[in-house]
Amino acid sequence: MANVRLKRYYHLKPDLSSRLGRIANVLWGQVIVAVAALAGIRYYTEILGPAEFGTSMLALGGIALFDSLGVMALNQTLLSRCGPHSDSEQRRQISVGLSWNFLKWAGPTGTLLGLGVAVALIALGYPSYWALLPALMLLYIVAETGKASLINLLVLERRYGRYSAWIGGEAVFSLLGTAAMLLAWRVDAIGFLTGYILSRLICAVVFMAGFSPTHLRKVDLVHIHDEIQPALTYGMPIAMMGPLGWISSYLDRYILGGLLGTATTGAYVAVTGLVARPFGLTTTVLSNYFRPFYFQPKLIHDGAQGCFRILRGWVLASLCIGLTGTLALGFLGDRIVRFMLAADFRQGAPLMMVLFALSQTLAITTHAADNAILAIRGSRQLLRAQIFISCATLALIPVGIMLGGVVGGLIGRCLAEAIRLTVVILIAASMIRRKNGMTGVLGTALSEETA
């Protein structure tokens, strides 16, 4: 008996060590991202006033809306279509080919949207420099598409060291590049946006050339043609879900800007940004650790039990980390605000941080259930649920702001996130039971690829 236990110990120890190593490799890049973001908030709130900072954040929110429509769907689709293949060259062909087809649609669309927004802003009296927006949008889409085509392969291959180097380097360089643009050109929103986008484009070129110089070499588009329809079938519902998620994340800042002015938006985004970055780090680390398990061939044999095990671990980890962070902010909020924000941004900040942290805890837990549904190809069911949930968000946040200002809006946000978590968890559990986990879904896909 002792020998059996000893063998089990030495069998499990390397697996545990490899898992801890993967977590560490995912974590260090995200820590750099969070630190750079927090340093950015400290610097930007000093150099930009609340109104100009608010305008800058509204501009980033507009880019995030386009991201939610396209880039998010591209990332999920590349993971779904490339994951079942073990051959690295086949993965590269699919990833680059689908990314190129995405760029052919997203590039002109983003440019036209940027043009429309620029014309509207200039007509409203904003500086003529906003005419740069269409070109900036195109550069941003090119950078993010190229990045997605390679960085998702790094995640699937669990090359987390390179992944962390990329996102960490991008975060630091974006901070330095944006700060340099503000100082050298214009201390306003268009200067901020220009520095941010150009920095990300440079990083995409540098890291793609450094990690895989031949990544964009010739792709057989005839072969990729067979992938386009399945990719669209999978990705379109995710793209439609994007704006619904954007409503949950960004709607409040636009309502505050419309009702109370961009200065209020600036103060709100600065305070919530201190909370959002650590929670964003948590979401990314947990996603990069747990999500690849849904796309491993081993899960075919584990069935529903395996899916529930992944979902349960992800949910519990999210709740434990989120609630711990919320309690910490309750005790340390005053000190954090005094250290991290300029004086004009501090009023009412500690309470705002705690309420926003609670809403983020619910959000990152919902993200775990979202990914369970997406992994078993339930994007259409999730879309229908998101449409229903967005109605609660559209009602609760504006009503909260009108009744209680910023604090009321945050309470409404917490209620909306609680409703969202409950609905999505129920859907995920039901779908896993009904489809017996991955057996009838991923198993079929793998059999088709092998044939």
Side-chain angles (χ1 to χ4, degrees):
M1 180 65 72
N3 288 335
V4 172
R5 289 179 179 176
L6 191 62
K7 289 179 180 179
R8 286 179 179 175
Y9 170 77
Y10 283 109
H11 174 72
L12 293 174
K13 187 176 179 181
D15 183 62
L16 177 61
S17 299
S18 64
R19 286 192 179 189
L20 292 175
R22 288 198 298 269
I23 293 173
N25 265 333
V26 172
L27 185 61
W28 70 262
Q30 294 298 333
V31 169
I32 293 175
V33 172
V35 171
L38 294 174
I41 291 175
R42 187 67 183 93
Y43 175 75
Y44 298 140
T45 56
E46 287 287 353
I47 195 172
L48 297 168
E52 203 61 51
F53 182 77
T55 303
S56 301
M57 295 303 101
L58 291 176
L60 280 186
I63 290 179
L65 176 58
F66 190 86
D67 259 356
S68 70
L69 279 165
V71 177
M72 182 186 76
L74 176 64
N75 280 302
Q76 288 280 358
T77 302
L78 292 181
L79 286 172
S80 174
R81 299 308 304 169
C82 296
H85 300 278
S86 58
D87 181 69
S88 59
E89 174 59 19
Q90 192 171 12
R91 280 180 170 177
R92 186 193 71 83
Q93 289 272 341
I94 294 172
S95 182
V96 175
L98 291 179
S99 297
W100 169 246
N101 278 277
F102 170 80
L103 183 60
K104 289 193 296 184
W105 166 83
T109 303
T111 304
L112 289 174
L113 287 174
L115 178 62
V117 173
V119 169
L121 291 175
I122 294 172
L124 291 172
Y126 283 80
S128 58
Y129 284 105
W130 283 98
L132 292 171
L133 190 58
L136 291 175
M137 281 295 297
L138 179 59
L139 293 176
Y140 179 79
I141 293 165
V142 170
E144 291 302 300
T145 304
K147 175 183 174 182
S149 72
L150 179 55
I151 204 165
N152 283 291
L153 298 184
L154 298 180
V155 171
L156 284 172
E157 295 165 6
R158 300 189 183 183
R159 301 171 75 175
Y160 294 131
R162 290 192 170 194
Y163 174 86
S164 287
W166 190 327
I167 63 171
E170 180 184 73
V172 172
F173 187 76
S174 294
L175 171 60
L176 297 176
T178 304
M181 185 64 70
L182 287 171
L183 293 174
W185 186 37
R186 295 176 61 87
V187 186
D188 60 8
I190 191 63
F192 176 94
L193 201 60
T194 302
Y196 175 80
I197 290 175
L198 291 180
S199 298
R200 291 181 73 90
L201 176 63
I202 293 170
C203 284
V205 172
V206 169
F207 282 105
M208 289 181 69
F211 288 157
S212 184
T214 60
H215 177 66
L216 298 179
R217 70 182 185 270
K218 185 178 179 181
V219 174
D220 187 357
L221 295 179
V222 174
H223 173 72
I224 297 303
H225 185 268
D226 296 333
E227 290 285 339
I228 293 176
Q229 189 55 51
L232 287 174
T233 301
Y234 180 84
M236 286 302 293
I238 299 175
M240 295 173 68
M241 280 187 287
L244 301 176
W246 181 90
I247 288 172
S248 174
S249 300
Y250 291 92
L251 176 67
D252 45 6
R253 65 178 65 179
Y254 287 90
I255 296 173
L256 286 170
L259 295 177
L260 304 176
T262 56
T264 301
T265 298
Y268 173 80
V269 175
V271 173
T272 56
L274 297 177
V275 181
R277 294 304 178 178
F279 276 89
L281 184 156
T282 301
T283 301
T284 304
V285 170
L286 293 177
S287 296
N288 286 331
Y289 180 74
F290 283 103
R291 186 164 54 191
F293 292 135
Y294 281 118
F295 299 100
Q296 299 303 313
K298 177 181 180 295
L299 198 59
I300 298 172
H301 307 291
D302 292 344
Q305 184 178 1
C307 286
F308 275 121
R309 183 172 60 250
I310 298 168
L311 175 60
R312 182 170 58 251
W314 197 339
V315 165
L316 290 176
S318 300
L319 285 173
C320 290
I321 295 171
L323 291 176
T324 301
T326 302
L327 289 173
L329 288 173
F331 287 106
L332 302 174
D334 286 330
R335 296 179 182 179
I336 293 172
V337 166
R338 286 196 298 270
F339 181 73
M340 292 300 301
L341 296 178
D344 292 341
F345 294 80
R346 295 174 186 167
Q347 185 176 0
L351 177 58
M352 291 166 57
M353 291 173 67
V354 171
L355 290 173
F356 189 74
L358 180 58
S359 75
Q360 289 294 98
T361 299
L362 298 170
I364 66 172
T365 307
T366 303
H367 185 69
D370 286 341
N371 276 272
I373 295 172
L374 292 174
I376 58 176
R377 310 279 177 91
S379 55
R380 294 185 184 276
Q381 292 88 334
L382 184 57
L383 174 60
R384 288 195 291 267
Q386 294 282 21
I387 292 172
F388 165 76
I389 295 165
S390 66
C391 295
T393 304
L394 287 169
L396 290 170
I397 292 179
V399 169
I401 290 174
M402 287 186 287
L403 293 178
V406 176
V407 172
L410 285 170
I411 293 173
R413 185 188 185 100
C414 289
L415 293 174
E417 290 292 349
I419 293 171
R420 182 168 174 249
L421 173 60
T422 302
V423 171
V424 176
I425 283 283
L426 291 174
I427 292 173
S430 174
M431 287 190 65
I432 291 173
R433 292 192 188 96
R434 187 169 64 251
K435 293 192 176 182
N436 191 25
M438 306 297 289
T439 304
V441 183
L442 183 57
T444 301
L446 286 174
S447 298
E448 291 172 353
E449 297 295 346
T450 303

